[in-house]
Structure formats: C-alpha cells, structure tokens
Coordinates of all heavy atoms in Angstrom, one line a residue:
M1 N -0.5 14.1 8.5 CA -1.8 13.9 9.0 C -2.1 12.4 9.0 O -1.7 11.6 8.1 CB -2.8 14.5 8.1 CG -4.2 14.3 8.5 SD -5.3 15.2 7.4 CE -6.7 14.3 7.6
R2 N -2.7 11.9 10.1 CA -3.1 10.5 10.2 C -4.2 10.2 9.2 O -5.2 11.0 9.1 CB -3.5 10.2 11.6 CG -2.4 9.8 12.5 CD -3.0 9.5 13.9 NE -3.6 8.2 13.9 CZ -3.0 7.1 14.3 NH1 -1.8 7.2 14.8 NH2 -3.6 6.0 14.3
T3 N -4.1 9.1 8.5 CA -5.2 8.7 7.6 C -5.8 7.4 8.0 O -6.7 6.9 7.4 CB -4.7 8.6 6.2 OG1 -3.6 7.6 6.2 CG2 -4.2 9.9 5.7
G4 N -5.3 6.8 9.1 CA -5.9 5.6 9.5 C -5.3 5.1 10.9 O -4.6 5.9 11.5
N5 N -5.7 4.0 11.3 CA -5.2 3.4 12.6 C -4.0 2.6 12.3 O -4.0 1.4 12.3 CB -6.3 2.6 13.2 CG -5.9 2.2 14.6 OD1 -4.9 2.6 15.2 ND2 -6.8 1.3 15.2
E6 N -2.9 3.2 11.9 CA -1.7 2.5 11.5 C -1.2 1.6 12.6 O -1.2 2.0 13.7 CB -0.6 3.5 11.1 CG -0.9 4.2 9.8 CD -1.7 5.5 10.0 OE1 -2.0 5.8 11.2 OE2 -2.1 6.1 9.0
P7 N -0.6 0.5 12.3 CA -0.5 -0.2 11.0 C -1.7 -1.1 10.7 O -1.7 -1.7 9.7 CB 0.8 -1.0 11.2 CG 0.8 -1.4 12.6 CD 0.2 -0.2 13.3
L8 N -2.6 -1.2 11.7 CA -3.7 -2.2 11.5 C -4.7 -1.8 10.4 O -5.2 -2.6 9.6 CB -4.5 -2.3 12.8 CG -3.7 -2.9 13.9 CD1 -4.5 -3.0 15.2 CD2 -3.2 -4.3 13.6
H9 N -5.0 -0.5 10.3 CA -6.0 0.0 9.3 C -5.5 1.1 8.4 O -6.2 2.1 8.2 CB -7.3 0.4 10.0 CG -7.9 -0.7 10.8 ND1 -7.8 -0.7 12.2 CD2 -8.7 -1.7 10.4 CE1 -8.5 -1.8 12.6 NE2 -9.0 -2.4 11.6
A10 N -4.3 1.0 8.0 CA -3.7 2.1 7.2 C -4.4 2.2 5.9 O -4.7 1.1 5.3 CB -2.2 1.9 7.0
R11 N -4.5 3.3 5.3 CA -5.1 3.5 4.0 C -4.0 3.6 3.0 O -3.0 4.1 3.2 CB -5.9 4.8 4.0 CG -7.1 4.7 4.9 CD -7.9 6.0 4.7 NE -9.1 5.9 5.7 CZ -10.0 6.8 5.7 NH1 -10.0 7.8 4.8 NH2 -11.0 6.7 6.5
S12 N -4.3 3.0 1.8 CA -3.3 3.0 0.7 C -3.6 4.0 -0.3 O -4.8 4.1 -0.8 CB -3.4 1.6 0.1 OG -2.5 1.5 -1.0
P13 N -2.6 4.8 -0.7 CA -2.9 5.8 -1.8 C -2.9 5.1 -3.2 O -1.9 5.2 -3.9 CB -1.7 6.7 -1.6 CG -0.6 5.9 -1.0 CD -1.3 4.9 -0.2
L14 N -4.0 4.5 -3.5 CA -4.0 3.7 -4.7 C -4.0 4.5 -6.0 O -3.5 4.1 -7.0 CB -5.3 2.8 -4.7 CG -5.2 1.6 -3.7 CD1 -6.6 0.9 -3.6 CD2 -4.1 0.7 -4.0
R15 N -4.6 5.7 -5.9 CA -4.6 6.5 -7.2 C -3.2 7.0 -7.5 O -2.8 7.0 -8.7 CB -5.6 7.7 -7.0 CG -7.0 7.3 -7.0 CD -7.9 8.5 -7.0 NE -9.3 8.0 -6.9 CZ -10.0 8.2 -5.8 NH1 -9.5 8.9 -4.8 NH2 -11.2 7.8 -5.7
M16 N -2.4 7.3 -6.5 CA -1.1 7.7 -6.7 C -0.2 6.5 -7.2 O 0.6 6.6 -8.2 CB -0.4 8.3 -5.5 CG 1.0 8.7 -5.7 SD 1.7 9.4 -4.2 CE 1.9 8.0 -3.1
R17 N -0.5 5.4 -6.6 CA 0.3 4.2 -7.1 C -0.1 3.8 -8.5 O 0.7 3.3 -9.3 CB -0.1 3.0 -6.1 CG 0.8 1.8 -6.3 CD 0.6 0.9 -5.1 NE 0.9 -0.5 -5.6 CZ 0.5 -1.5 -4.9 NH1 -0.1 -1.4 -3.8 NH2 0.8 -2.7 -5.4
C18 N -1.4 4.0 -8.9 CA -1.8 3.8 -10.2 C -1.1 4.7 -11.2 O -0.6 4.2 -12.3 CB -3.3 4.0 -10.4 SG -4.0 3.6 -12.0
G19 N -1.0 6.0 -10.9 CA -0.3 6.9 -11.7 C 1.2 6.6 -11.9 O 1.8 6.7 -12.9
L20 N 1.8 6.1 -10.7 CA 3.2 5.8 -10.8 C 3.5 4.5 -11.6 O 4.5 4.4 -12.4 CB 3.8 5.6 -9.4 CG 3.9 6.9 -8.6 CD1 4.3 6.5 -7.1 CD2 5.0 7.8 -9.2
A21 N 2.5 3.6 -11.5 CA 2.6 2.3 -12.4 C 2.5 2.7 -13.8 O 3.2 2.1 -14.7 CB 1.6 1.3 -11.9
L22 N 1.6 3.6 -14.2 CA 1.4 4.0 -15.6 C 2.7 4.7 -16.1 O 3.1 4.5 -17.2 CB 0.2 4.9 -15.7 CG -1.1 4.3 -15.7 CD1 -2.2 5.3 -15.7 CD2 -1.3 3.4 -17.0
W23 N 3.3 5.6 -15.2 CA 4.5 6.3 -15.6 C 5.6 5.3 -15.8 O 6.4 5.3 -16.8 CB 4.8 7.3 -14.6 CG 6.1 8.0 -14.8 CD1 7.3 7.9 -14.2 CD2 6.3 9.0 -15.9 NE1 8.2 8.7 -14.7 CE2 7.7 9.4 -15.8 CE3 5.5 9.6 -16.8 CZ2 8.2 10.4 -16.6 CZ3 6.0 10.5 -17.6 CH2 7.4 10.9 -17.5
G24 N 5.8 4.3 -14.9 CA 6.8 3.2 -15.0 C 6.6 2.4 -16.3 O 7.6 2.1 -17.0
L25 N 5.3 2.1 -16.6 CA 5.0 1.3 -17.8 C 5.4 2.1 -19.1 O 6.0 1.6 -20.0 CB 3.6 1.0 -17.9 CG 3.1 0.2 -19.1 CD1 3.8 -1.1 -19.2 CD2 1.6 0.0 -19.0
L26 N 5.1 3.4 -19.1 CA 5.4 4.2 -20.2 C 7.0 4.3 -20.4 O 7.5 4.1 -21.5 CB 4.8 5.6 -20.0 CG 5.2 6.6 -21.1 CD1 4.4 6.3 -22.4 CD2 4.8 8.0 -20.7
C27 N 7.7 4.6 -19.3 CA 9.1 4.7 -19.4 C 9.8 3.4 -19.8 O 10.8 3.4 -20.6 CB 9.7 5.2 -18.1 SG 9.3 6.9 -17.7
A28 N 9.3 2.3 -19.2 CA 9.9 1.0 -19.5 C 9.7 0.6 -21.0 O 10.6 0.0 -21.6 CB 9.4 -0.1 -18.6
T29 N 8.5 0.9 -21.4 CA 8.2 0.5 -22.8 C 9.0 1.4 -23.8 O 9.6 0.9 -24.8 CB 6.7 0.8 -23.1 OG1 5.9 0.0 -22.2 CG2 6.3 0.4 -24.5
A30 N 9.1 2.7 -23.5 CA 10.0 3.6 -24.3 C 11.4 3.1 -24.3 O 12.1 3.1 -25.3 CB 9.8 5.0 -23.9
G31 N 11.9 2.7 -23.1 CA 13.3 2.2 -23.0 C 13.5 0.9 -23.8 O 14.5 0.8 -24.5
A32 N 12.5 0.0 -23.8 CA 12.7 -1.2 -24.5 C 12.7 -0.9 -26.0 O 13.5 -1.5 -26.7 CB 11.5 -2.2 -24.2
V33 N 11.8 0.0 -26.5 CA 11.8 0.3 -27.9 C 13.1 1.0 -28.3 O 13.7 0.7 -29.3 CB 10.6 1.2 -28.2 CG1 10.7 1.8 -29.6 CG2 9.3 0.4 -28.1
A34 N 13.6 1.9 -27.5 CA 14.9 2.6 -27.8 C 16.1 1.6 -27.8 O 16.9 1.7 -28.7 CB 15.1 3.7 -26.7
F35 N 16.1 0.7 -26.8 CA 17.2 -0.3 -26.8 C 17.2 -1.3 -28.0 O 18.2 -1.7 -28.5 CB 17.3 -1.0 -25.5 CG 17.9 -0.1 -24.4 CD1 17.2 0.1 -23.2 CD2 19.2 0.4 -24.5 CE1 17.8 0.9 -22.2 CE2 19.7 1.2 -23.5 CZ 19.0 1.4 -22.4
V36 N 16.0 -1.6 -28.4 CA 15.9 -2.5 -29.6 C 16.4 -1.8 -30.8 O 17.1 -2.4 -31.6 CB 14.4 -3.0 -29.7 CG1 14.2 -3.6 -31.1 CG2 14.0 -4.0 -28.7
S37 N 16.0 -0.6 -31.0 CA 16.5 0.2 -32.1 C 17.9 0.5 -32.1 O 18.6 0.7 -33.1 CB 15.7 1.5 -32.3 OG 15.9 2.4 -31.2
A38 N 18.5 0.5 -30.9 CA 20.0 0.8 -30.7 C 20.8 -0.5 -30.8 O 22.0 -0.5 -30.8 CB 20.3 1.4 -29.4
G39 N 20.1 -1.7 -30.9 CA 20.8 -2.9 -31.0 C 21.3 -3.5 -29.7 O 22.3 -4.2 -29.7
R40 N 20.6 -3.2 -28.6 CA 21.0 -3.7 -27.3 C 19.9 -4.6 -26.7 O 19.1 -4.2 -26.0 CB 21.2 -2.5 -26.3 CG 22.3 -1.5 -26.7 CD 23.6 -2.1 -26.3 NE 24.6 -1.0 -26.5 CZ 25.8 -1.2 -26.0 NH1 26.1 -2.2 -25.3 NH2 26.7 -0.2 -26.2
P41 N 19.9 -5.9 -27.1 CA 18.8 -6.7 -26.7 C 18.8 -7.0 -25.2 O 17.7 -7.3 -24.7 CB 19.0 -8.0 -27.6 CG 20.5 -8.0 -27.9 CD 20.9 -6.5 -28.0
E42 N 19.9 -7.0 -24.6 CA 20.0 -7.3 -23.1 C 19.2 -6.2 -22.4 O 18.4 -6.5 -21.5 CB 21.4 -7.4 -22.6 CG 22.2 -8.5 -23.3 CD 22.9 -7.9 -24.6 OE1 23.0 -6.7 -24.8 OE2 23.4 -8.7 -25.4
W43 N 19.5 -5.0 -22.7 CA 18.9 -3.9 -22.0 C 17.4 -3.8 -22.4 O 16.6 -3.4 -21.6 CB 19.6 -2.5 -22.3 CG 20.9 -2.4 -21.6 CD1 22.1 -2.6 -22.1 CD2 21.1 -2.1 -20.2 NE1 23.1 -2.5 -21.2 CE2 22.4 -2.1 -20.0 CE3 20.2 -1.8 -19.2 CZ2 23.0 -1.9 -18.7 CZ3 20.7 -1.5 -18.0 CH2 22.1 -1.6 -17.7
A44 N 17.1 -4.1 -23.6 CA 15.7 -4.2 -24.0 C 14.9 -5.2 -23.2 O 13.8 -5.0 -22.8 CB 15.6 -4.4 -25.5
G45 N 15.5 -6.4 -23.0 CA 14.9 -7.4 -22.2 C 14.7 -7.0 -20.8 O 13.7 -7.3 -20.1
A46 N 15.7 -6.2 -20.2 CA 15.5 -5.7 -18.8 C 14.4 -4.7 -18.8 O 13.6 -4.7 -17.8 CB 16.8 -5.1 -18.4
C47 N 14.3 -3.8 -19.7 CA 13.2 -2.9 -19.8 C 11.8 -3.6 -20.0 O 10.8 -3.2 -19.4 CB 13.4 -1.8 -20.9 SG 14.7 -0.6 -20.5
A48 N 11.8 -4.6 -20.8 CA 10.6 -5.3 -21.0 C 10.1 -6.0 -19.7 O 8.9 -6.1 -19.4 CB 10.7 -6.4 -22.1
A49 N 11.1 -6.5 -18.9 CA 10.8 -7.2 -17.6 C 10.2 -6.1 -16.6 O 9.2 -6.4 -15.9 CB 12.0 -7.8 -17.0
V50 N 10.8 -4.9 -16.6 CA 10.2 -3.9 -15.8 C 8.8 -3.5 -16.2 O 7.9 -3.2 -15.4 CB 11.2 -2.7 -15.7 CG1 10.6 -1.5 -15.1 CG2 12.5 -3.0 -15.1
A51 N 8.6 -3.5 -17.5 CA 7.3 -3.1 -18.0 C 6.3 -4.2 -17.6 O 5.1 -3.9 -17.3 CB 7.3 -3.0 -19.6
L52 N 6.7 -5.5 -17.6 CA 5.8 -6.6 -17.2 C 5.4 -6.4 -15.7 O 4.3 -6.6 -15.3 CB 6.5 -7.9 -17.5 CG 5.7 -9.1 -17.1 CD1 4.4 -9.2 -17.9 CD2 6.5 -10.4 -17.3
V53 N 6.4 -6.1 -14.9 CA 6.1 -5.9 -13.5 C 5.2 -4.7 -13.3 O 4.2 -4.7 -12.5 CB 7.4 -5.6 -12.7 CG1 7.2 -5.1 -11.3 CG2 8.3 -6.9 -12.6
A54 N 5.4 -3.6 -14.1 CA 4.5 -2.5 -14.0 C 3.0 -2.8 -14.4 O 2.1 -2.4 -13.8 CB 5.0 -1.3 -14.8
V55 N 2.9 -3.7 -15.4 CA 1.6 -4.1 -15.9 C 0.9 -4.9 -14.8 O -0.3 -4.8 -14.5 CB 1.7 -4.9 -17.2 CG1 0.4 -5.7 -17.5 CG2 2.0 -4.0 -18.3
M56 N 1.6 -5.8 -14.1 CA 1.0 -6.7 -13.1 C 0.6 -5.8 -11.9 O -0.4 -6.0 -11.3 CB 2.0 -7.7 -12.6 CG 2.2 -8.8 -13.7 SD 3.2 -10.2 -13.2 CE 4.5 -9.6 -12.2
D57 N 1.5 -4.8 -11.5 CA 1.1 -3.9 -10.4 C -0.1 -3.1 -10.8 O -1.0 -2.9 -9.9 CB 2.3 -3.0 -10.1 CG 2.1 -2.1 -8.9 OD1 1.5 -2.6 -7.9 OD2 2.4 -0.9 -9.0
L58 N -0.2 -2.6 -12.0 CA -1.3 -1.8 -12.5 C -2.6 -2.6 -12.4 O -3.6 -2.1 -12.0 CB -1.0 -1.3 -13.9 CG -2.0 -0.2 -14.4 CD1 -2.0 1.0 -13.6 CD2 -1.6 0.1 -15.8
A59 N -2.5 -3.9 -12.8 CA -3.7 -4.7 -12.8 C -4.2 -4.9 -11.3 O -5.4 -4.9 -11.0 CB -3.4 -6.1 -13.4
M60 N -3.2 -5.1 -10.4 CA -3.6 -5.3 -9.0 C -4.2 -4.0 -8.4 O -5.2 -4.1 -7.7 CB -2.4 -5.8 -8.2 CG -2.8 -6.1 -6.8 SD -1.4 -6.8 -5.8 CE -0.3 -5.5 -5.8
V61 N -3.6 -2.9 -8.7 CA -4.1 -1.6 -8.2 C -5.5 -1.4 -8.7 O -6.4 -1.0 -8.0 CB -3.1 -0.5 -8.6 CG1 -3.8 0.9 -8.3 CG2 -1.9 -0.6 -7.8
I62 N -5.7 -1.6 -10.0 CA -7.1 -1.3 -10.6 C -8.1 -2.3 -9.9 O -9.2 -1.9 -9.6 CB -7.0 -1.5 -12.1 CG1 -6.3 -0.3 -12.7 CG2 -8.4 -1.6 -12.7 CD1 -6.0 -0.4 -14.2
R63 N -7.7 -3.5 -9.7 CA -8.6 -4.5 -9.0 C -9.0 -4.0 -7.6 O -10.1 -4.1 -7.2 CB -7.9 -5.9 -8.9 CG -8.7 -6.9 -8.2 CD -8.0 -8.2 -8.3 NE -8.8 -9.2 -7.5 CZ -8.4 -9.6 -6.3 NH1 -7.3 -9.1 -5.8 NH2 -9.1 -10.4 -5.6
H64 N -8.0 -3.5 -6.9 CA -8.2 -3.0 -5.5 C -9.1 -1.7 -5.5 O -10.0 -1.6 -4.7 CB -6.9 -2.7 -4.8 CG -6.2 -3.9 -4.3 ND1 -5.0 -3.9 -3.7 CD2 -6.6 -5.3 -4.4 CE1 -4.7 -5.1 -3.4 NE2 -5.6 -6.0 -3.8
I65 N -8.9 -0.9 -6.5 CA -9.7 0.3 -6.6 C -11.2 -0.1 -6.9 O -12.1 0.5 -6.3 CB -9.2 1.3 -7.7 CG1 -7.9 1.9 -7.2 CG2 -10.2 2.3 -8.1 CD1 -7.2 2.8 -8.3
R66 N -11.4 -1.1 -7.8 CA -12.7 -1.5 -8.1 C -13.4 -2.3 -7.0 O -14.6 -2.4 -7.0 CB -12.7 -2.4 -9.4 CG -12.4 -1.6 -10.6 CD -12.5 -2.4 -11.8 NE -12.3 -1.6 -13.0 CZ -12.2 -2.0 -14.2 NH1 -12.4 -3.3 -14.4 NH2 -12.0 -1.2 -15.2
Q67 N -12.7 -2.8 -6.0 CA -13.3 -3.5 -4.9 C -14.0 -2.5 -4.0 O -14.8 -2.9 -3.1 CB -12.2 -4.3 -4.1 CG -11.9 -5.5 -4.8 CD -10.9 -6.4 -4.1 OE1 -10.2 -5.8 -3.2 NE2 -10.8 -7.6 -4.4
G68 N -13.7 -1.2 -4.1 CA -14.4 -0.3 -3.3 C -13.8 0.1 -2.0 O -12.6 -0.1 -1.8
P69 N -14.6 0.5 -1.0 CA -14.1 1.1 0.3 C -13.3 0.1 1.1 O -12.7 0.4 2.1 CB -15.3 1.6 1.0 CG -16.4 1.5 0.1 CD -16.0 0.7 -1.1
H70 N -13.4 -1.2 0.8 CA -12.7 -2.2 1.6 C -11.2 -1.9 1.5 O -10.4 -2.0 2.4 CB -13.0 -3.6 1.1 CG -12.1 -4.7 1.7 ND1 -12.2 -5.0 3.0 CD2 -11.1 -5.4 1.2 CE1 -11.3 -6.0 3.3 NE2 -10.6 -6.2 2.2
Y71 N -10.7 -1.6 0.3 CA -9.3 -1.2 0.1 C -9.1 0.3 0.0 O -8.0 0.7 0.4 CB -8.8 -1.9 -1.2 CG -8.3 -3.3 -1.0 CD1 -9.2 -4.3 -1.1 CD2 -7.0 -3.5 -0.6 CE1 -8.7 -5.6 -0.9 CE2 -6.6 -4.8 -0.4 CZ -7.4 -5.8 -0.5 OH -7.0 -7.1 -0.3
Q72 N -10.0 1.0 -0.5 CA -9.7 2.5 -0.6 C -10.9 3.2 -0.2 O -11.8 3.5 -1.0 CB -9.4 2.8 -2.1 CG -9.0 4.2 -2.4 CD -7.7 4.6 -1.7 OE1 -6.9 3.7 -1.5 NE2 -7.5 5.8 -1.4
P73 N -11.0 3.6 1.1 CA -12.1 4.4 1.6 C -12.1 5.8 0.9 O -11.1 6.3 0.6 CB -11.9 4.6 3.1 CG -10.8 3.6 3.4 CD -10.1 3.3 2.2
G74 N -13.3 6.2 0.6 CA -13.5 7.5 -0.1 C -13.3 8.7 0.9 O -13.1 8.5 2.1
R75 N -13.5 9.9 0.4 CA -13.3 11.1 1.2 C -14.4 11.2 2.2 O -14.3 11.9 3.2 CB -13.3 12.3 0.3 CG -12.1 12.3 -0.7 CD -12.2 13.6 -1.5 NE -11.2 13.5 -2.6 CZ -10.0 13.9 -2.6 NH1 -9.5 14.3 -1.4 NH2 -9.2 13.8 -3.6
E76 N -15.6 10.6 2.0 CA -16.7 10.7 2.9 C -16.5 9.8 4.1 O -17.2 10.0 5.1 CB -18.0 10.4 2.2 CG -18.2 8.9 1.8 CD -17.5 8.6 0.4 OE1 -17.0 9.5 -0.2 OE2 -17.5 7.4 0.1
I77 N -15.6 8.9 4.1 CA -15.3 8.0 5.2 C -14.2 8.6 6.1 O -13.1 8.8 5.6 CB -14.9 6.6 4.8 CG1 -16.1 6.0 4.0 CG2 -14.6 5.7 6.0 CD1 -15.8 4.7 3.4
P78 N -14.5 8.9 7.4 CA -13.5 9.6 8.2 C -12.4 8.6 8.6 O -12.6 7.4 8.5 CB -14.3 10.0 9.4 CG -15.4 9.1 9.5 CD -15.7 8.7 8.1
P79 N -11.2 9.1 9.0 CA -10.1 8.2 9.5 C -10.6 7.4 10.7 O -11.4 7.8 11.4 CB -9.0 9.2 9.8 CG -9.3 10.5 9.2 CD -10.8 10.5 9.0
Y80 N -9.9 6.3 10.9 CA -10.2 5.5 12.0 C -9.8 6.2 13.3 O -8.8 7.0 13.3 CB -9.5 4.1 11.9 CG -10.0 3.3 10.8 CD1 -9.3 3.2 9.6 CD2 -11.2 2.5 10.9 CE1 -9.8 2.4 8.5 CE2 -11.6 1.8 9.8 CZ -10.9 1.7 8.7 OH -11.4 0.9 7.7
E81 N -10.4 5.9 14.4 CA -10.0 6.4 15.7 C -8.7 5.9 16.1 O -8.4 4.7 16.0 CB -11.1 6.0 16.7 CG -11.4 6.9 17.8 CD -11.4 8.4 17.6 OE1 -12.1 8.8 16.7 OE2 -10.7 9.0 18.4
P82 N -7.7 6.7 16.5 CA -6.4 6.3 16.9 C -6.5 5.4 18.2 O -7.4 5.5 19.0 CB -5.6 7.5 17.1 CG -6.6 8.6 17.3 CD -7.8 8.2 16.6
D83 N -5.5 4.6 18.4 CA -5.3 3.8 19.6 C -5.2 4.7 20.8 O -4.4 5.6 20.8 CB -4.1 2.9 19.4 CG -4.0 1.9 20.5 OD1 -5.1 1.6 21.2 OD2 -2.9 1.3 20.7
R84 N -5.9 4.4 21.9 CA -5.9 5.2 23.1 C -5.2 4.6 24.3 O -5.6 4.8 25.4 CB -7.3 5.6 23.5 CG -8.1 6.4 22.5 CD -7.6 7.8 22.4 NE -8.3 8.6 21.5 CZ -7.9 9.6 20.8 NH1 -6.6 9.9 20.9 NH2 -8.6 10.2 20.0
G85 N -4.2 3.8 24.0 CA -3.4 3.3 25.1 C -3.5 1.8 25.4 O -2.8 1.2 26.2
R86 N -4.3 1.1 24.7 CA -4.4 -0.4 24.9 C -4.2 -1.1 23.5 O -4.7 -0.6 22.5 CB -5.8 -0.8 25.4 CG -6.0 -0.4 26.8 CD -7.2 -1.0 27.4 NE -7.2 -2.5 27.4 CZ -6.8 -3.2 28.4 NH1 -6.3 -2.6 29.5 NH2 -6.8 -4.5 28.4
S87 N -3.5 -2.1 23.6 CA -3.2 -2.9 22.4 C -4.0 -4.2 22.5 O -3.6 -5.2 23.1 CB -1.8 -3.2 22.2 OG -1.6 -4.0 21.0
E88 N -5.3 -4.2 22.1 CA -6.2 -5.4 22.2 C -5.7 -6.6 21.5 O -5.9 -7.7 21.9 CB -7.6 -5.0 21.7 CG -8.2 -3.9 22.5 CD -8.4 -4.2 24.0 OE1 -8.6 -5.4 24.3 OE2 -8.4 -3.3 24.8
A89 N -4.9 -6.4 20.4 CA -4.4 -7.5 19.7 C -3.5 -8.4 20.5 O -3.4 -9.6 20.4 CB -3.8 -7.0 18.4
F90 N -2.7 -7.7 21.3 CA -1.7 -8.4 22.1 C -2.0 -8.5 23.6 O -1.3 -9.2 24.3 CB -0.3 -7.8 21.9 CG 0.1 -7.7 20.5 CD1 0.1 -6.5 19.8 CD2 0.5 -8.9 19.8 CE1 0.5 -6.5 18.4 CE2 0.9 -8.8 18.5 CZ 0.9 -7.7 17.8
G91 N -3.0 -7.8 24.0 CA -3.4 -7.9 25.4 C -2.4 -7.2 26.4 O -2.2 -7.6 27.5
I92 N -1.7 -6.2 25.9 CA -0.7 -5.5 26.7 C -1.1 -4.1 26.9 O -1.6 -3.4 26.0 CB 0.7 -5.5 25.9 CG1 1.2 -6.9 25.7 CG2 1.7 -4.7 26.7 CD1 2.4 -7.0 24.9
R93 N -1.0 -3.6 28.2 CA -1.3 -2.2 28.5 C -0.1 -1.4 28.1 O 1.0 -1.7 28.3 CB -1.5 -2.1 30.0 CG -2.8 -2.8 30.5 CD -3.0 -2.5 31.9 NE -4.0 -3.3 32.4 CZ -4.1 -3.7 33.7 NH1 -3.2 -3.4 34.6 NH2 -5.1 -4.5 34.0
R94 N -0.4 -0.2 27.6 CA 0.6 0.7 27.2 C 1.3 1.3 28.4 O 0.7 1.7 29.4 CB 0.0 1.9 26.4 CG 0.7 2.0 25.1 CD 0.1 3.0 24.3 NE -0.4 2.3 23.1 CZ 0.3 2.4 22.0 NH1 1.3 3.1 21.8 NH2 -0.2 1.7 20.9
G95 N 2.6 1.4 28.3 CA 3.4 2.0 29.4 C 3.9 1.0 30.4 O 4.9 1.3 31.1
T96 N 3.2 -0.1 30.6 CA 3.6 -1.0 31.7 C 4.5 -2.2 31.1 O 5.3 -2.7 31.8 CB 2.4 -1.6 32.4 OG1 1.7 -2.4 31.4 CG2 1.6 -0.6 33.0
G97 N 4.2 -2.6 29.9 CA 4.9 -3.7 29.3 C 4.5 -5.0 29.8 O 5.1 -6.0 29.6
R98 N 3.4 -5.1 30.6 CA 2.9 -6.3 31.2 C 1.5 -6.6 30.6 O 0.8 -5.8 30.2 CB 2.7 -6.1 32.7 CG 4.0 -5.8 33.4 CD 3.8 -5.9 34.9 NE 2.5 -5.3 35.3 CZ 2.3 -4.3 36.2 NH1 3.4 -3.8 36.7 NH2 1.2 -3.8 36.5
R99 N 1.2 -7.9 30.7 CA -0.1 -8.3 30.3 C -1.1 -8.1 31.5 O -0.7 -8.1 32.6 CB -0.1 -9.8 30.0 CG 0.7 -10.1 28.8 CD 0.4 -11.6 28.3 NE 1.2 -11.9 27.2 CZ 0.9 -11.7 26.0 NH1 -0.2 -11.1 25.7 NH2 1.7 -12.0 25.0
P100 N -2.4 -7.8 31.1 CA -3.3 -7.5 32.2 C -3.5 -8.8 33.1 O -3.5 -9.9 32.6 CB -4.6 -7.2 31.5 CG -4.3 -7.2 30.1 CD -2.9 -7.6 29.8
G101 N -3.6 -8.5 34.4 CA -3.8 -9.6 35.3 C -2.5 -10.3 35.8 O -2.6 -11.2 36.6
T102 N -1.4 -9.8 35.4 CA -0.1 -10.4 35.9 C 0.4 -9.5 37.1 O 0.1 -8.4 37.2 CB 1.0 -10.5 34.8 OG1 1.2 -9.1 34.3 CG2 0.5 -11.3 33.7
R103 N 1.2 -10.2 37.9 CA 1.7 -9.5 39.1 C 3.0 -8.8 38.7 O 3.8 -9.3 37.9 CB 2.0 -10.5 40.2 CG 0.7 -11.1 40.6 CD 1.0 -12.1 41.6 NE 0.5 -11.7 42.9 CZ 0.6 -12.4 44.0 NH1 1.2 -13.5 44.0 NH2 0.1 -12.0 45.1
P104 N 3.4 -7.7 39.4 CA 4.6 -7.0 39.1 C 5.8 -7.8 39.6 O 5.9 -8.6 40.4 CB 4.5 -5.7 39.8 CG 3.3 -5.8 40.7 CD 2.5 -6.9 40.3

C-alpha cells in the first residue's frame, strides 16, 4: 500500500525503527557483557561500538517522533496524492522524455 508520494514525501516507520534500535541496543549490551565475562575484550569492544550506534540511532528516532507530523504523520493524516504524470521538480512530461516547450 502506498503511504506517501514516494520518493519526495515518503513516510518513515519511526515506531518500528525505534523498536529495532531498542532490540539492537539490548542484544549489543548483552553481547558486550558476555564477551567481557568470557575474556574476549576485542569482541566486547565491537559489541560496545554497535551499542553506541544503536543509542545514537535511538536518540535521533525519538527526536523525530517528538517533532510531530513533520516527520511522522499520524493515522488521521491521509497519504499524499500520487503523481499524475508530470514531474514538476524536473519540468519533464511523463512518457515523452522531453521538457515542455521543446521541439521534437
């Protein structure tokens, strides 16, 4: 199902991304603790680096969610109207490959 006027106004599944970041943070933290207790500092460092990336991603996702409908429209906002044959951004008519006003 279309959820936006892709790629210009695509909607981002921020709640799902938030859940995945939390899951990644949990797994990476557990891995770091397990590798420290097993005496593998290199692998523990790698897991800690992944946990740091997950924390930064989680902070960015939470910031975007708190910004409101600019980043994450709610269920009450309908999808954007799809493109009906003109690309206004580039001034090209669909199907012809030419700019308007040019000769064939």
